[in-house]
Amino acid sequence: MNKTVKHKTMAEIILYLTKNDAESIVEWLNGESDIAWIVKESQEGKLYRWKAVHSIDAIQAKKYCLWKIGAGDLRIPSGNHEIEDTVVLDPFRGWEQRLNVSAAETPWFGAAAPETYTFTFLERGKEHEDSIGRSGFNWIGNYFSEIGNSAPDECKKWWERLKRHIKKNSTGIPWPGELGSGKTGAYAFPEAYDQLLKGRAKDVNP
């Protein structure tokens, strides 16, 4: 008998947001005591200094990294399987990391880092003139569970909490189709939803 192979996918919540909508999400995240933002403190070429903070004051159109405090160590990959990764001893004091790119928005913790999430905000789209960009949350979840890197239970619970908050404060919309054309695949917060109802196009791709 042939076994059905299930292909795992990474968890994602597709959002459509204006700046005001995104600020409401930031306010909620700032109030989550067990969630920290990982921000860039400084940069010299490809040498970065990152730091965990409990809140941010303003949001820009870019990708953000979030850390579930206490769910697992943040690790700097060594790049060599024979050398252990470096554990960030105190993320709130900051750490340095050298990357291969000079325009990184978030640190690199390796492919399997289920104690972190990403939040991307893009108000301006690029697929149509004046379209609204595709924003959203992404999480590795249990993608690497088969090699022994399962997501901590507290990270799963917070992801479910995040989904409940989004569903409560937004409107489910079809994706990738147009409004009224199919099942819910994304969520539009109030101001963005109003603009979509008035005919503003949305980007399907990130």
Side-chain angles (χ1 to χ4, degrees):
M1 182 182 294
N2 294 328
K3 293 183 178 180
T4 300
V5 178
K6 293 183 179 181
H7 297 282
K8 292 185 177 180
T9 58
M10 301 180 195
E12 180 178 26
I13 305 171
I14 300 172
L15 301 176
Y16 291 95
L17 309 166
T18 65
K19 183 77 175 291
N20 288 334
D21 294 328
E23 287 174 348
S24 72
I25 293 179
V26 169
E27 182 179 5
W28 182 78
L29 290 171
N30 284 348
E32 292 289 285
S33 60
D34 54 352
I35 292 293
W37 301 80
I38 306 298
V39 300
K40 185 193 304 183
E41 194 172 25
S42 64
Q43 178 184 351
E44 291 184 14
K46 297 180 180 180
L47 180 64
Y48 297 81
R49 183 166 181 81
W50 310 102
K51 184 178 182 179
V53 296
H54 288 290
S55 63
I56 61 173
D57 295 327
I59 189 167
Q60 301 174 12
K62 64 177 185 178
K63 179 187 291 186
Y64 292 85
C65 178
L66 302 168
W67 172 46
K68 182 70 170 62
I69 301 171
D73 292 327
L74 297 179
R75 298 176 179 272
I76 305 172
S78 67
N80 186 330
H81 69 278
E82 296 181 353
I83 301 175
E84 290 188 0
D85 295 343
T86 300
V87 175
V88 179
L89 297 178
D90 186 353
F92 290 97
R93 293 189 65 179
W95 71 96
E96 290 186 344
Q97 180 181 40
R98 186 173 294 278
L99 298 173
N100 294 325
V101 295
S102 56
E105 297 176 332
T106 59
W108 171 243
F109 296 120
E115 65 280 350
T116 65
Y117 313 84
T118 61
F119 170 44
T120 302
F121 169 55
L122 292 173
E123 182 175 14
R124 291 288 179 182
K126 54 190 176 184
E127 295 179 5
H128 309 277
E129 185 178 355
D130 195 35
S131 60
I132 188 166
R134 173 174 155 177
S135 301
F137 287 89
N138 293 82
W139 180 45
I140 194 71
N142 276 324
Y143 190 82
F144 290 102
S145 61
E146 292 181 359
I147 61 172
N149 200 339
S150 298
D153 287 341
E154 55 263 53
C155 292
K156 298 175 187 176
K157 291 177 181 178
W158 189 81
W159 184 256
E160 293 302 315
R161 174 174 167 79
L162 171 67
K163 290 197 294 184
R164 289 194 299 271
H165 174 78
I166 287 172
K167 289 180 180 180
K168 181 180 178 180
N169 292 277
S170 65
T171 301
I173 62 173
W175 184 92
E178 299 301 318
L179 295 183
S181 63
K183 65 180 182 179
T184 296
Y187 296 88
F189 271 63
E191 197 168 82
Y193 183 63
D194 182 61
Q195 293 182 10
L196 291 173
L197 287 177
K198 293 177 179 177
R200 185 176 181 184
K202 68 179 187 295
D203 279 10
V204 171
N205 299 302

